[in-house]
Amino acid sequence: MKKTADAIEKFGESRQVACPHCGKEVRMMMLRSSNGLGMFGVSVLNYKHDLFAICPDCGALYGVDRSVSKKQAKASADRYADIPADSLIFQQVLPLKS
């Protein structure tokens, strides 16, 4: 029986931010990754949250700085975060399908 409950879910969109990779002003799609203890895929205690941002124009994937992630992890998905461009840590470029 698996004792962890790991999930990645859509967390909304950022406000307008300049993508550090392509330079365009965009609303990035936000994803939240949660790790926690639970059973049968149901989380009982979440102990680690990470936020990721994806540029819709160039497909750049960013990890969001942990201090910003911790603050925003407590917010609900309907309160979109102000994610400063300097808190985005480049990971890779994703191949987006048109």
Side-chain angles (χ1 to χ4, degrees):
M1 176 171 52
K2 188 176 176 184
K3 295 183 180 178
T4 60
D6 305 324
I8 296 177
E9 61 190 7
K10 188 171 179 183
F11 192 63
E13 290 182 343
S14 71
R15 294 201 173 109
Q16 288 288 117
V17 63
C19 173
H21 185 72
C22 69
K24 293 183 181 174
E25 289 280 330
V26 294
R27 296 173 67 98
M28 293 198 183
M29 181 173 69
M30 304 300 298
L31 300 175
R32 179 170 61 177
S33 167
S34 300
N35 301 97
L37 299 174
M39 289 191 290
F40 307 109
V42 177
S43 179
V44 176
L45 171 68
N46 287 329
Y47 58 85
K48 183 179 175 191
H49 297 281
D50 289 304
L51 287 180
F52 297 93
I54 301 172
C55 176
D57 280 0
C58 70
L61 171 69
Y62 300 94
V64 178
D65 182 87
R66 290 286 298 154
S67 61
V68 175
S69 293
K70 281 184 177 183
K71 184 190 310 181
Q72 295 303 325
K74 296 175 185 165
S76 66
D78 62 343
R79 287 186 284 164
Y80 303 134
D82 274 327
I83 304 294
D86 62 354
S87 71
L88 298 173
I89 303 157
F90 181 77
Q91 304 290 312
Q92 67 184 48
V93 174
L94 302 174
L96 295 179
K97 296 179 181 177
S98 300

